Amino acid sequence: MSDIDLTTVPPYPVYRLEVDAAGAVTLDGVPIAEGEGATEEAIDHVAAVLRDDGHDAVRVMAVTPEGTDRMVVEADGTTHLIVDQVHDGKMAIGNRRVSRRAVIASVVTVAGLVVIGAATPVAIALTRPTPTPTATIAPPPGAGEQLAVLAPPGYDQTAAWAVPIRSNTTPTFLPDERIAVTTEGGDLRLLDPDTGKTVWKGNGAPQGGNQLVATTIGGYDVLATARSGALTVWPLYVDDSTVDSVDYELPRGAEVSFLGTEPLIVLPDQTVGFVTADGITRQDIPVTARPVMTTDAGVIAVDDTTIFTITPDGDVSGVPYTRPEGAGPITSLSAADSDTLIIVWAPDAQKNVVGLVDVATGDLSAIADTRSASVRDDTTPLHAVDGTTLTYGSVWIRHGTSPSVRPLGTFTPTAITDTLVYGTDNRQAGWINVLDDQPQVSPFTTQELPLDPIAPSGITPAMAWIVADKVETTYLYALPRRNGPGDPNATPAP
């Protein structure tokens, strides 16, 4: 084939070629070659799969004990090694077109090394301004901005950084604490949590106020959002200057859940969809069951007695689970993580019972009674940025080791860090420490102020992030922690 513009190669599918230290090779987790002659076998296999799948060109991730490298392979075996190079202050995404045999031979070695060194930069280039030598480091964006409302107790009033974002949007905190926001111009950005500087860019953003979620597809990290008729995905592993989204068309009536490790497509008539690189694969679920999430094992669905696992191939297995005595019907289903279900039962009109159930064993690990209005059927978990605690409606939950469930009364959480929960009570910003014998809401202040305090969107012991307006612009403020009277973070963790 002739030279191609590598930025036009679709972000999906991606072939994952892995080489271990002994030289054994797998393609998308399937062993394909090992020992003497592994190089030749890997060459033939990769080329055959590419042709069978009917792709003109695909992205390939070459993973070895030394790290991960990127490439694009064309159907005729032409391979483009992608390297980042800097020349005279300009960044180029370099590539060279070499034989398929040469590139695989350089990847599949007994030592597991990847030799991608001296590629010559060609047509694909991203220019950046030549850096100006300076004796000081540029400050973060918006450093020193004052938050116009009262900061949470224990956090500074002056921002470590502040970034303008689109109004009426909610930041998304990734597992690595990077923050996804929508800019004023309507595009996605990933921000460094400590500096506020952009570390990744994406074209477009969630529509209609739909929430952005960090998840995976085929083992690759993505940002995703769902709207009527489509699942939209931005691949985080793509290193283009600005990453385009990919749409998966959804049938009428489809709903999307992001509770597990991958998106779950809930379709009408006891049918679910698995998201794959090539589209959505459908499978049936037991007639009695409600689907909860998609994990590495498959779709997890639950009825009154059994936890079902449905694989992408349609295999169904079931594990009975423990119900509390006199629990009543299930009113809400969710998940703390891929290993732990959250189940809410209603023994009567005034009370709910909230329990944590192990997906693999069906064991009930923690339970608590709450008021009936604590959890609605459409409630989704609110996870801590920095740990294994979350809130589910007005209920605090710790999963993993030492599981626990504790009610929060009428409190509405907006952010959580360990045992400290921030949010609102009667629309007033406050916080609760669930370790207290009888947890009570503490307001940010008892003073009459011109502007009411705003509960944070995310918080850790080191930083609080708050979305607030200032003179016709909406900002995400990062407020560093300070020690002083009234600092709730001074309370020791359990």
Side-chain angles (χ1 to χ4, degrees):
M1 285 188 178
S2 59
D3 287 341
I4 61 171
D5 181 353
L6 301 193
T7 62
T8 65
V9 178
Y12 287 106
V14 178
Y15 294 156
R16 185 180 180 89
L17 189 69
E18 296 193 45
V19 187
D20 66 18
V25 188
T26 60
L27 184 64
D28 289 341
V30 178
I32 59 173
E34 63 178 339
E36 186 176 355
T39 299
E40 296 300 322
E41 291 182 50
I43 293 169
D44 295 339
H45 194 94
V46 172
V49 170
L50 176 58
R51 290 192 298 271
D52 289 345
D53 287 350
H55 299 299
D56 294 329
V58 295
R59 297 177 185 262
V60 175
M61 302 281 279
V63 182
T64 78
E66 300 299 317
T68 300
D69 288 274
R70 300 170 291 127
M71 60 187 72
V72 167
V73 179
E74 296 186 66
D76 66 351
T78 302
T79 303
H80 302 260
L81 307 176
I82 302 176
V83 296
D84 294 339
Q85 297 182 328
V86 178
H87 296 281
D88 300 327
K90 296 181 179 180
M91 174 71 78
I93 298 179
N95 76 84
R96 63 175 176 177
R97 195 171 55 140
V98 295
S99 72
R100 176 167 46 83
R101 182 175 301 275
V103 68
I104 301 299
S106 71
V107 173
V108 186
T109 65
V110 172
L113 299 177
V114 175
V115 183
I116 302 179
T120 302
V122 291
I124 305 169
L126 304 173
T127 60
R128 296 180 180 174
T130 302
T132 302
T134 177
T136 60
I137 298 174
E145 285 284 341
Q146 176 181 285
L147 180 68
V149 299
L150 188 67
Y155 293 85
D156 208 303
Q157 200 66 46
T158 301
W161 54 265
V163 172
I165 63 174
R166 190 168 67 182
S167 61
N168 300 321
T169 60
T170 302
T172 297
F173 295 87
L174 276 64
D176 60 10
E177 296 188 17
R178 289 183 298 172
I179 306 170
V181 298
T182 303
T183 66
E184 290 181 296
D187 288 326
L188 285 182
R189 297 289 186 271
L190 284 186
L191 307 180
D192 181 280
D194 298 319
T195 67
K197 294 182 179 179
T198 297
V199 294
W200 179 92
K201 299 178 181 179
N203 281 325
Q207 299 180 9
N210 292 319
Q211 181 64 31
L212 191 70
V213 179
T215 185
T216 64
I217 293 179
Y220 296 96
D221 293 333
V222 301
L223 292 173
T225 187
R227 54 187 172 84
S228 178
L231 169 69
T232 303
V233 172
W234 290 263
L236 290 176
Y237 59 85
V238 175
D239 294 328
D240 298 339
S241 58
T242 304
V243 177
D244 290 325
S245 61
V246 177
D247 278 345
Y248 290 83
E249 293 186 6
L250 300 178
R252 181 177 299 177
E255 298 179 354
V256 183
S257 166
F258 298 102
L259 294 175
T261 55
E262 300 197 7
L264 166 65
I265 312 299
V266 182
L267 301 167
D269 305 319
Q270 293 301 102
T271 307
V272 294
F274 294 85
V275 182
T276 70
D278 296 319
I280 295 174
T281 300
R282 300 183 184 184
Q283 291 295 349
D284 293 332
I285 64 171
V287 172
T288 58
R290 295 167 59 180
V292 181
M293 61 178 167
T294 301
T295 71
D296 295 341
V299 167
I300 306 301
V302 177
D303 67 9
D304 286 338
T305 63
T306 306
I307 301 170
F308 297 98
T309 301
I310 302 94
T311 70
D313 295 328
D315 297 329
V316 180
S317 59
V319 174
Y321 68 89
T322 304
R323 287 170 54 91
E325 186 176 350
I330 294 175
T331 60
S332 182
L333 280 170
S334 190
D337 59 15
S338 60
D339 300 316
T340 310
L341 293 170
I342 305 172
I343 304 181
V344 181
W345 298 272
D348 55 54
Q350 286 74 42
K351 184 175 70 174
N352 278 340
V353 177
V354 181
L356 301 182
V357 179
D358 186 276
V359 171
T361 66
D363 293 338
L364 186 65
S365 60
I367 191 171
D369 293 343
T370 70
R371 62 192 184 91
S372 60
S374 293
V375 180
R376 300 197 311 263
D377 187 50
D378 60 350
T379 297
T380 56
L382 175 66
H383 289 267
V385 176
D386 57 346
T388 57
T389 58
L390 59 89
T391 59
Y392 187 55
S394 296
V395 179
W396 174 88
I397 292 172
R398 177 169 53 206
H399 54 102
T401 58
S402 302
S404 180
V405 179
R406 302 193 184 189
L408 298 174
T410 60
F411 194 66
T412 302
T414 64
I416 176 177
T417 175
D418 198 35
T419 64
L420 300 176
V421 184
Y422 294 78
T424 59
D425 190 40
N426 294 322
R427 299 185 179 180
Q428 298 298 311
W431 58 276
I432 291 178
N433 187 347
V434 300
L435 284 185
D436 293 342
D437 291 337
Q438 294 183 337
Q440 300 291 325
V441 178
S442 298
F444 282 14
T445 182
T446 57
Q447 291 180 280
E448 290 292 332
L449 300 174
L451 297 172
D452 291 333
I454 298 174
S457 298
I459 199 162
T460 69
M463 194 84 78
W465 296 274
I466 291 182
V467 176
D469 293 335
K470 191 167 188 179
V471 192
E472 299 182 341
T473 300
T474 300
Y475 290 88
L476 176 63
Y477 292 86
L479 307 176
R481 180 181 170 182
R482 60 172 171 78
N483 292 317
D487 181 357
N489 293 290
T491 303

